[in-house]
Amino acid sequence: MSARRLLIALAAAVLAACASPTPPDARPAARLQLRLAPAALGQSISLQQHLTVEREGRTDQLDTALEIDAQHLDLVGLAFGQRVMTLHYDGRELQVWRHAMLPRQVQGDDVLQDVQLTLWPAQAIRQALPAGWELRETDGQRTLLLDGETVAVIDYPDRKAWGGKVILTNLRYRYKLTIQSVVTSE
């Protein structure tokens, strides 16, 4: 296998770990499909992030560059310096570029949703939640619930959404995403 194919296969494994397959209990999963306007973040940020994804005893890593301002969100996913996914969201339309080697389960909507759940103000998220969904927030933690059942828990050990560590544990799809962010500009 060429180095390029190996690189793409590794990136595909990382992003597939973040994807949202059908839960094993066979009931159809209600999808949140959160799409908040970039302006709802309330400020412009530029971050470099290192992602660690743990799922089914496997750990994978990926780097991203994320820029958000009032008009757009741009995210580039990199594995060993090679682009494997790009998202551009203007508040209306999500444009996704994916390397051909990425599994179809890796969806731009899921990536966008995890970004917004971890970074956007809780009040902005609550206003956009469909019926049955709830977001609770305590000091250093958010809990996303559907009909009273916990779907995801987001911990902020550094007590900030960016410029530190964030841990998203998705109980429904059984993965843990640790995000280490470095602010490049605010």
Side-chain angles (χ1 to χ4, degrees):
M1 179 180 280
S2 74
R4 181 178 168 91
R5 286 190 176 254
L6 178 60
L7 175 71
I8 299 305
L10 288 170
V14 170
L15 291 172
C18 294
S20 302
T22 303
D25 64 7
R27 46 182 182 138
R31 304 290 299 207
L32 177 55
Q33 299 178 356
L34 187 65
R35 284 204 181 179
L36 301 170
L41 180 63
Q43 68 183 64
S44 297
I45 60 171
S46 181
L47 304 173
Q48 292 179 357
Q49 299 179 310
H50 182 75
L51 311 179
T52 303
V53 182
E54 298 172 58
R55 178 183 221 156
E56 297 176 356
R58 179 184 175 131
T59 301
D60 296 291
Q61 299 185 10
L62 182 74
D63 292 310
T64 66
L66 176 64
E67 291 189 6
I68 306 167
D69 64 24
Q71 289 76 40
H72 74 279
L73 174 150
D74 287 308
L75 180 139
V76 177
L78 304 168
F80 301 103
Q82 173 147 352
R83 180 174 64 126
V84 294
M85 182 177 225
T86 303
L87 301 179
H88 175 78
Y89 179 59
D90 64 7
R92 295 177 304 283
E93 181 181 356
L94 175 63
Q95 298 172 351
V96 179
W97 177 89
R98 303 157 13 112
H99 194 281
M101 297 286 289
L102 289 178
R104 66 178 175 79
Q105 298 94 333
V106 178
Q107 297 297 315
D109 281 320
D110 295 331
V111 175
L112 176 64
Q113 181 172 288
D114 282 353
V115 168
Q116 292 188 328
L117 283 171
T118 59
L119 296 179
W120 263 243
Q123 190 55 35
I125 295 169
R126 285 185 191 108
Q127 290 174 353
L129 291 176
W133 290 90
E134 176 185 359
L135 182 70
R136 295 180 186 162
E137 185 173 47
T138 60
D139 187 38
Q141 186 176 76
R142 289 181 177 177
T143 305
L144 181 68
L145 302 101
L146 174 60
D147 297 326
E149 181 182 334
T150 301
V151 172
V153 177
I154 304 166
D155 291 298
Y156 299 89
D158 297 331
R159 300 288 191 250
K160 50 188 171 181
W162 53 82
K165 182 187 280 188
V166 176
I167 303 166
L168 184 150
T169 305
N170 190 308
L171 302 172
R172 173 171 280 180
Y173 298 115
R174 297 187 174 116
Y175 68 89
K176 178 181 173 182
L177 174 62
T178 302
I179 305 165
Q180 185 67 49
S181 296
V182 177
V183 177
T184 54
S185 69
E186 283 188 68

